[in-house]
Amino acid sequence: GAGVSQSPSNKVTEKGKDVELRCDPISGHTALYWYRQSLGQGLEFLIYFQGNSAPDKSGLPSDRFSAERTGGSVSTLTIQRTQQEDSAVYLCASSLGAGGGYTFGSGTRLTVV
Amino acid sequence: AQSVTQLGSHVSVSEGALVLLRCNYSSSVPPYLFWYVQYPNQGLQLLLKYTSAATLVKGINGFEAEFKKSETSFHLTKPSAHMSDAAEYFCAVSRGRSGGGADGLTFGKGTHLIIQP
């Protein structure tokens, strides 16, 4: 597509429920990134994919967080047993690779109640 | 590990005045540096990036930044502020050794730019 598409744009969930966030990168972009933006922590790197593989998962906050990317395209970020501290805006970005600069999506605003 | 410090969580300037947003970085490798802008309820948009070519980098919307290795700084400037420049600005450094941000970026806390009429 023309830009990075994220869905849903807003999600309200009850504490303890699982959520799935979706990112559809720009066609042809091999690199895909997930970040979390919250008031207290600013922008935090979560994970990146080169193609379908994620070389570095160290940014994921806990084992309740997981991400996958299939077909070198769409990625899903899954949060299991959500907690209130998971409330944040989750941003996805994609790029052609090193030095390409990122294109960010508009984010998914997650609210855990 | 790489890190970024943005001085001033809020900066207020008058319309038409010089904009200066400060960014200092720490990096164990030659850094790739970026400035992004975020308008309300939107994602981040790349303003400019430094990738070890020219030290003075020109970006979109009249912004530019100068890489100063001796000061470990990458301050963002614009000669004349416009009301439409009001937004959140983030400085970032590439996380790893591969450069260009291929393995992700470390962001500063952001600076909220306020333009006074």
Side-chain angles (χ1 to χ4, degrees), chain A residues 33 35 37 45 48 56 99 102 105, chain B residues 38 43 49 95 100-102 104-105:
Chain A
Y33 310 84
Y35 290 85
Q37 186 174 25
F45 169 83
Y48 83 98
D56 181 5
Y102 295 6
Chain B
Q38 186 177 35
K49 63 180 179 181
R95 288 179 68 247
L105 300 178

Side-chain angles (χ1 to χ4, degrees), chain B residues 17-66:
Chain B
L18 172 72
V19 175
L20 171 60
L21 304 182
R22 299 177 187 274
C23 172
N24 289 88
Y25 70 92
S26 170
S27 178
S28 57
V29 298
Y32 282 62
L33 295 158
F34 305 78
W35 274 99
Y36 282 85
V37 61
Q38 186 177 35
Y39 298 100
N41 299 315
Q42 294 187 26
L44 280 74
Q45 180 182 7
L46 179 67
L47 277 177
L48 49 81
K49 63 180 179 181
Y50 167 76
T51 56
S52 74
T55 57
L56 182 63
V57 182
K58 294 188 183 298
I60 63 171
N61 301 340
F63 284 94
E64 61 182 37
E66 186 173 8

Side-chain angles (χ1 to χ4, degrees), chain A residues 56-107:
Chain A
D56 181 5
K57 300 181 180 179
S58 63
L60 294 176
S62 74
D63 58 8
R64 296 185 295 104
F65 287 71
S66 63
E68 66 174 16
R69 187 181 187 194
T70 55
S73 182
V74 172
S75 175
T76 55
L77 178 68
T78 301
I79 309 173
Q80 295 178 310
R81 305 181 302 282
T82 51
Q83 303 293 315
Q84 287 186 328
E85 63 260 28
D86 299 333
S87 296
V89 176
Y90 289 83
L91 290 166
C92 176
S94 69
S95 73
L96 280 171
Y102 295 6
T103 301
F104 277 85
S106 298

Side-chain angles (χ1 to χ4, degrees), chain A residues 5-58:
Chain A
S5 178
Q6 291 188 248
S7 60
S9 55
N10 280 283
K11 176 72 176 178
V12 180
T13 189
E14 292 181 353
K15 178 181 173 181
K17 300 280 190 183
D18 297 353
V19 295
E20 267 193 9
L21 313 180
R22 177 188 168 102
C23 173
D24 198 347
I26 291 174
S27 178
H29 279 195
T30 57
L32 185 147
Y33 310 84
W34 284 98
Y35 290 85
R36 179 169 71 175
Q37 186 174 25
S38 56
L39 280 176
Q41 301 297 322
L43 273 156
E44 301 172 84
F45 169 83
L46 297 179
I47 191 169
Y48 83 98
F49 291 88
Q50 278 292 347
N52 290 336
S53 69
D56 181 5
K57 300 181 180 179
S58 63

Side-chain angles (χ1 to χ4, degrees), chain B:
Chain B
Q2 280 64 259
S3 67
V4 172
T5 301
Q6 290 184 242
L7 298 176
S9 59
H10 291 77
V11 169
S12 180
V13 302
S14 298
E15 190 175 17
L18 172 72
V19 175
L20 171 60
L21 304 182
R22 299 177 187 274
C23 172
N24 289 88
Y25 70 92
S26 170
S27 178
S28 57
V29 298
Y32 282 62
L33 295 158
F34 305 78
W35 274 99
Y36 282 85
V37 61
Q38 186 177 35
Y39 298 100
N41 299 315
Q42 294 187 26
L44 280 74
Q45 180 182 7
L46 179 67
L47 277 177
L48 49 81
K49 63 180 179 181
Y50 167 76
T51 56
S52 74
T55 57
L56 182 63
V57 182
K58 294 188 183 298
I60 63 171
N61 301 340
F63 284 94
E64 61 182 37
E66 186 173 8
F67 172 71
K68 292 186 177 180
K69 184 177 179 180
S70 61
E71 298 177 8
T72 60
S73 69
F74 191 56
H75 302 331
L76 182 71
T77 60
K78 181 174 180 177
S80 177
H82 192 272
M83 295 300 290
S84 61
D85 294 328
E88 191 84 12
Y89 291 79
F90 294 92
C91 182
V93 64
S94 50
R95 288 179 68 247
R97 306 186 66 89
S98 58
D103 46 5
L105 300 178
T106 297
F107 284 87
K109 296 289 188 186
T111 297
H112 187 63
L113 178 61
I114 301 162
I115 310 297
Q116 305 280 2

